[in-house]
Every structure is written in structure tokens, then in C-alpha cells.
Amino acid sequence: MAHITTSVEYGIHCLLWLSGSGEVSLSSRDLAELQGISPSFLAKIFPKLEKAGIVAASEGVRGGYRLAKPASEITFLDVVDAIEGEKPLFECQNIRTRCAVFDGDAPDWVCEGICGVHGVMLLAEKAMRDVLAKKSLADVGTAFMRKAPQSFGTDVGTWIDDRVKGRKPGRTPKNSGPPG
Amino acid sequence: MAHITTSVEYGIHCLLWLSGSGEVSLSSRDLAELQGISPSFLAKIFPKLEKAGIVAASEGVRGGYRLAKPASEITFLDVVDAIEGEKPLFECQNIRTRCAVFDGDAPDWVCEGICGVHGVMLLAEKAMRDVLAKKSLADVGTAFMRKAPQSFGTDVGTWIDDRVKGRKPGRTPKNSGPPG
DNA sequence: AAAAACGAGGATAAAACTAGTCCGCGTTAT
DNA sequence: ATAACGCGGACTAGTTTTATCCTCGTTTTT
């Protein structure tokens, strides 16, 4: 697939949901079901976001995640780096020093400065990261909510309420019948 | 490894050698040995560069590759796309349409325009590609040759001459002794 | 106290991708 | 005729990605 992975895609979409849910914590299972993605896979992503200080976790029943800071202060680059771990776009293998003419002992003028090819790749990487660093979750989140009708917010609210009630202790989930 | 692969790194370095060798064709084996990289792997890369119109191949003995156009007209982006095949930075899976609230049937306002997350990734990708499109092989090649002393050009010339003579029919390569 | 919903993290697995090898084919200069 | 070429397919090993499952300790509610 691509260099910006599905993990990042999942992570950002989850964070957008969290940015709309205020102080309420949502569990990774809630977020997975809400978006039709794998709960177990999502559970692997959130600890990375927490270590990066993007979300705050609360354990136990009714626990889950909430944003650790305002959505306007979380950039796409923050999320990409948190999940993918600042992998470089290009890993220079210093081919220039291997020239057979040097016979294994490259002269100083060859090693001077960084490799020209590497330099171009670093410029390209920086340009990409600069764009990602300038876009926050709030930028995308508010644009989406402007398109959504009023009813959407309440629909989501009731969906979450129903889900929480459905698993409320005292009323066994078995009563609603397992799928299949 | 990284998204811009070793194949691209090898390809660019080879093209830089070709940009310095004028009308003379160099075989992929020459280029591999000259740079201490795998000949068989390099042989997989060049057909892609040829199909993209970056190099011209000549078959048979003393054949090989030469640039199909001036180094100043070959950009890094040309090479990356030729070898990696214009893979996108990010593959949007349209998570937005999967919201459980929609129950499998996303309303029109959701699908309107491209996904906001995707939009940011496309901007980042474009920024990266713009940088690669603005750098030509000549930019990097001339910078390298400015650092190199006069002797380097002649050293390389004699290395190539020796290599060609060494395999000249009429003088069996066995006479020089196999390595090991 | 017990049950159930949480997060954290390890073990495992399938699929895709990357890097690299090997071989046989047709072509061409010597 | 030979040997150096490019071309292309089959194949392999290692890594990464995308999961799944299970156990553990934590926390809230009954």
C-alpha cells in the first residue's frame, strides 16, 4: 500500500470523532464500531497516540480516550509521526562512496557534505512535512461539520447513548440477542 | 525500508553516471560494478527507465544504456515515477461513508467532494512531487563534478577502458584469474 | 464481592512489498 | 562461433502492514 498507512487513516478519523465529543471519553471499541473498522487493530494504534500526548486514556468501565489538547493544536504531522514513528522518506546508502575507482577508500572530497541525491529527497520530505504540520484536526473537522445537517450530531449522540445503555450492567447484553 | 526505495536510489545514481559519459553506452553490469551494487537487481530497474523514455538501450556486445534526453530535462520525479509507478502517498478508504449511524447507506452530503483527510494528504503529496519535479539530474550531477578534481574524470575513464579491454574477445578473461 | 467494560501489551498469522538471485531468450559486435 | 548485451519470468528471503486473539491489571456499577 502507501507510505502513509491505513493505521494513520484510522487514527485521524478516530481523533476527528473525539474532537467532536468534547469531554466524553470514547472507547476504542466504540470508535471501531462507529466507523466499521477492526476493533482489535484500532486497539494497537491508540497507545501510540497516548504516548505522543495526543490523547488521554482512562481505564475501567466507562473509560476510553479523549483528546489531550484542543483539536486546533493537533496537526496531521503529529499523528503521522506518533503512529509511524518519524520514518524518513528516503534512506541514503551513500552509494557515492562505493565507486570502484576509489577501491574501497573514498577520498575526502567525495564524503564532503551530504549526498546530492539525499539532499533532494530531504527537501521533498520537508515540503511534505510542512504541509502536514500546517493542517490541524480542527481544520478538517470543522469543514466536515459545516456540511453535516443538525440532525447528524443528535443522531450520533443517540447512537452512542444506545450503545452505552446496551452494555449497561444490570441489563445483560444477551437479551438483545447476539448477531448471527 | 522507506517509501522512496533503494531501486530509485540505484536508478538515479546510475543516471548520474550516464549523464557524465556522453554518447558512450554503459551496460547495467558496468554500472553495477562501478558502484558496488547488485548487477542482477540493477538489471530489473533499467527496463523501467527505458519504457519511461529516460534511457535508450542498445542490444548486443558493446551495447548498454545512454540517456534518451539531456540530464537537465530528466527530473527526480520522472525517475521516481518510472521506477515506482506513480504510487500515491495515501490511499483513501473513504472511512467517512462507513459511519454506523448511516447504517450502510451514506447520505449525499457525506460523499460530497473528496474526504477532508484525503485532501490534506493530496496537498502533502503534491508539495513533495513539486520539489522532485524541480530538481533535474543535471542539478545534482554538476554540483558533484564541481567538487571532483580533474583526475577523477580520467580515473573513471581508464577504469571503464580497462573493464572493456578485459572482456575483449581474443583475450580470454580466464587469463586474469577468477577472484577467490 | 462480582461482573463487565476498559486499556496495555504480547504472540501469532496472513498478505503485501522489497531486495535480490537465477535462468533462458533473442540480439549484436568481434 | 562466441561472448557480451538487454529483456523478462520464476523464484526466494526478509521486512512491513494489517490484522486477530488472549491475558493481565484497572475501574465502575450492581
Side-chain angles (χ1 to χ4, degrees):
Chain A
M1 205 158 296
H3 182 237
I4 292 189
T5 58
T6 299
S7 292
V8 170
E9 184 173 18
Y10 289 175
I12 290 175
H13 279 280
C14 287
L15 292 171
L16 289 172
W17 278 109
L18 292 181
S19 78
S21 75
E23 291 297 308
V24 179
S25 284
L26 295 179
S27 74
S28 64
R29 294 161 179 91
D30 290 335
L31 288 163
E33 192 172 333
L34 190 53
Q35 300 175 93
I37 62 182
S38 158
S40 54
F41 186 51
L42 199 52
K44 301 303 236 179
I45 297 172
F46 267 99
K48 297 177 183 176
L49 295 173
E50 204 216 347
K51 288 191 185 67
I54 293 172
V55 298
S58 53
E59 287 193 339
V61 175
R62 300 281 187 131
Y65 299 97
R66 60 177 211 281
L67 295 189
K69 50 188 174 184
S72 59
E73 293 174 21
I74 302 173
T75 70
F76 275 60
L77 184 62
D78 293 333
V79 182
V80 170
D81 282 347
I83 295 176
E84 295 189 346
E86 302 203 37
K87 284 176 192 161
L89 178 66
F90 176 79
E91 284 182 20
C92 182
Q93 300 180 48
N94 256 304
I95 306 286
R96 60 180 178 171
T97 65
R98 299 197 207 163
C99 177
V101 172
F102 305 145
D103 204 26
D105 185 29
D108 287 345
W109 66 266
V110 174
C111 305
E112 182 191 315
I114 68 164
C115 168
V117 176
H118 192 187
V120 173
M121 300 308 184
L122 286 175
L123 282 177
E125 183 178 16
K126 183 176 187 323
M128 181 187 72
R129 291 175 65 86
D130 283 351
V131 171
L132 295 178
K134 273 174 192 153
K135 289 287 181 178
S136 75
L137 294 180
D139 293 336
V140 171
T142 59
F144 181 81
M145 290 315 284
R146 265 201 299 273
K147 294 197 306 182
Q150 292 287 337
S151 59
F152 181 65
T154 55
D155 286 352
V156 171
T158 56
W159 185 93
I160 291 175
D161 283 351
D162 287 354
R163 192 167 196 281
V164 171
K165 280 177 198 153
R167 71 185 175 222
K168 202 176 191 175
R171 208 216 280 184
T172 62
K174 286 171 190 169
N175 293 345
S176 58
Chain B
M1 207 157 296
H3 182 236
I4 293 189
T5 57
T6 299
S7 292
V8 170
E9 184 172 19
Y10 288 176
I12 290 176
H13 278 281
C14 286
L15 292 171
L16 289 172
W17 278 109
L18 291 180
S19 77
S21 73
E23 292 297 309
V24 180
S25 284
L26 295 179
S27 74
S28 63
R29 294 157 178 94
D30 289 336
L31 288 163
E33 193 172 332
L34 190 52
Q35 298 174 92
I37 62 182
S38 158
S40 53
F41 187 50
L42 199 52
K44 305 298 257 180
I45 297 173
F46 267 99
K48 298 178 183 176
L49 294 173
E50 203 217 349
K51 287 191 183 68
I54 293 171
V55 299
S58 52
E59 286 193 338
V61 176
R62 300 281 186 130
Y65 299 97
R66 60 176 210 281
L67 296 189
K69 49 189 173 182
S72 58
E73 293 174 20
I74 303 172
T75 70
F76 275 60
L77 184 61
D78 293 333
V79 181
V80 170
D81 282 346
I83 295 176
E84 296 190 345
E86 302 203 38
K87 284 177 194 160
L89 178 65
F90 176 79
E91 283 182 22
C92 182
Q93 300 180 47
N94 257 304
I95 306 286
R96 58 180 179 171
T97 65
R98 298 196 207 163
C99 179
V101 172
F102 306 145
D103 206 25
D105 185 29
D108 287 345
W109 66 266
V110 174
C111 305
E112 181 191 316
I114 66 165
C115 168
V117 176
H118 193 187
V120 172
M121 299 307 183
L122 286 175
L123 281 177
E125 183 179 16
K126 182 176 188 324
M128 180 186 73
R129 291 175 64 87
D130 283 350
V131 170
L132 295 177
K134 273 175 192 150
K135 288 287 181 178
S136 74
L137 293 179
D139 293 336
V140 171
T142 58
F144 181 82
M145 289 315 283
R146 266 200 299 273
K147 294 197 307 182
Q150 292 287 337
S151 60
F152 180 64
T154 56
D155 285 353
V156 170
T158 56
W159 185 92
I160 291 175
D161 282 352
D162 287 355
R163 191 166 196 283
V164 171
K165 278 176 200 155
R167 70 189 176 221
K168 201 176 193 174
R171 207 219 280 185
T172 61
K174 288 172 190 169
N175 292 346
S176 58

